[in-house]
Amino acid sequence: MRSDANTFTLPARVLHWLMAAMILAMLFIGVGMVASVSERHEWLLRIHKPLGIAILILAVLRLAVRLRHPPPALPVDLPAAQKLAAHASHWLLYGLMFALPLVGWGMLSAAGNPIVLIGSFHLPPILPHDKALYAILRPAHTVLAYLLFVTFLAHLGAALTHALVFKDGVFRSMVK
Ligand code: HEM
Ligand code: HEM
């Protein structure tokens, strides 16, 4: 059982829920985008790029908060395998929060076209113009997005199990 005082800090909780909403929106915008043509595709892509870069910036902030304030310890009676799974999946989620925007930005850099972020503001390329590299990064963006979605589903399942079955304070530590 985790005690009530044993919660994530306010900045950690705000960042967690804000980013959860942004990342979920991005997954659906991404899928909607590749399933649409013409105007709707362009419109969704105009949201996808700045939202993705905002996620990258917030991920840097979140990692800094995380390193400064270690999270509350998991309940002592939680089996070691579950603790390991929790830690591994959290670090995987952190890794994907960085990897997806960077691969998105990198693939557009490798494609060699100007990367319009908002209005006349362009992102600088972070990789050289290279078609072979683009051919690797474009599918990598898709695979990483699916991996993020699957990890999120496992995370959601675990969070709800802690909240509704174990009732051990793990869920509460992220909501208050
Ligand atoms: C957390 C951040 C991100 C998530 C979750 C995400 C997710 C997705 C998903 C689910 C797709 C559609 C699946 C597919 O590729 O077939 C997609 C496509 C795409 N994403 Fe992202 N993305 C992110 C960040 C970015 C960033 C920062 C950029 C560029 C600066 C970007 C550029 C693109 C482009 C250009 C496409 C393909 C559009 C097309 O071919 O029509 N993404 N993304
Ligand atoms: C895409 C969406 C989400 C992402 C990327 C995400 C990511 C994360 C990460 C990285 C942590 C570890 C925090 C740390 O150690 O600094 C965490 C913890 C947590 N998340 Fe999420 N999360 C998401 C959605 C959700 C949702 C929808 C729920 C609840 C229904 C939830 C509940 C929790 C809880 C309860 C914890 C605390 C776990 C613990 O005590 O160690 N998360 N999340």
Side-chain angles (χ1 to χ4, degrees):
M1 172 69 83
R2 203 178 241 183
S3 77
D4 267 9
N6 228 347
T7 58
F8 282 87
T9 59
L10 182 64
R13 279 176 280 146
V14 170
L15 282 166
H16 176 273
W17 293 111
L18 176 65
M19 292 187 75
M22 290 167 81
I23 291 170
L24 280 182
M26 278 297 276
L27 287 169
F28 287 102
I29 289 171
V31 172
M33 189 164 75
V34 291
S36 317
V37 281
S38 68
E39 293 243 317
R40 180 131 55 100
H41 177 272
E42 287 307 310
W43 183 76
L44 289 171
L45 189 57
R46 272 205 296 275
I47 303 173
H48 193 84
K49 286 182 286 179
L51 195 54
I53 296 301
I55 288 171
L56 180 61
I57 295 167
L58 289 177
V60 174
L61 187 65
R62 186 166 176 186
L63 187 62
V65 168
R66 173 65 157 77
L67 296 175
R68 217 181 137 88
H69 303 281
L74 285 166
V76 277
D77 48 358
L78 198 68
Q82 283 185 37
K83 280 189 185 154
L84 183 70
H87 289 139
S89 60
H90 290 163
W91 284 113
L92 179 61
L93 285 166
Y94 270 109
L96 291 168
M97 284 188 265
F98 282 94
L100 260 155
L102 284 173
V103 170
W105 186 356
M107 79 190 186
L108 292 181
S109 309
N113 301 320
I115 313 170
V116 179
L117 193 64
I118 302 173
S120 59
F121 183 78
H122 287 59
L123 283 177
I126 51 170
L127 288 174
H129 179 194
D130 179 342
K131 279 186 184 159
L133 192 56
Y134 174 77
I136 297 169
L137 294 178
R138 179 65 187 84
H141 194 65
T142 310
V143 171
L144 290 175
Y146 283 122
L147 180 60
L148 176 58
F149 189 59
V150 169
T151 315
F152 158 71
L153 287 182
H155 182 69
L156 178 67
L160 293 180
T161 308
H162 281 287
L164 305 172
V165 182
F166 299 158
K167 299 184 179 149
D168 56 4
V170 165
F171 184 75
R172 221 175 27 243
S173 70
M174 195 45 104
V175 285
K176 72 166 208 167

